[in-house]
Amino acid sequence: MAVKMFLNVMDCVRKLRARRYGAEYSYLLLGSTGQDLDDLRGYVEDGRLRTVVGDTVKLADIEAVRSACQVVYSGKGGLGKTVVKVV
């Protein structure tokens, strides 16, 4: 019961922080069905869902990949996902 209350309070804090920056914070729980993936694609195409990319590195540059991984592992990755391009 206490854990559930704590999680609900933390969820409210996240939503308030998002609202401060003009963003909406919500959960989207999907299964692995084709319909769910089509819904997700529709959200992206409509602009209702955006990805946040923090850092982008090429797989060919192994030192940049190691450095990016070290930043993520240290917990200081900042905002966004680290993307490794395979080209």
Side-chain angles (χ1 to χ4, degrees):
M1 182 69 174
V3 173
K4 185 176 179 180
M5 288 177 58
F6 174 75
L7 292 175
N8 285 337
V9 167
M10 293 308 296
D11 186 49
C12 288
V13 169
R14 287 188 186 108
K15 286 181 180 181
L16 288 172
R17 286 182 179 166
R19 188 176 303 154
R20 180 174 51 183
Y21 293 105
E24 180 182 336
Y25 181 88
S26 62
Y27 296 102
L28 180 64
L29 302 175
L30 298 173
S32 58
T33 66
Q35 179 60 42
D36 288 338
L37 292 175
D38 282 340
D39 292 343
L40 190 59
R41 179 185 48 81
Y43 294 150
V44 172
E45 289 175 353
D46 293 343
R48 296 188 315 183
L49 180 65
R50 294 180 300 162
T51 58
V52 179
V53 177
D55 192 18
T56 304
V57 295
K58 291 183 180 179
L59 185 60
D61 186 2
I62 194 67
E63 287 304 317
V65 172
R66 286 183 179 151
S67 175
C69 288
Q70 188 59 40
V71 169
V72 171
Y73 294 147
S74 70
K76 297 184 168 80
L79 183 64
K81 302 291 182 187
T82 300
V83 177
V84 179
K85 288 186 174 185
V86 185
V87 287

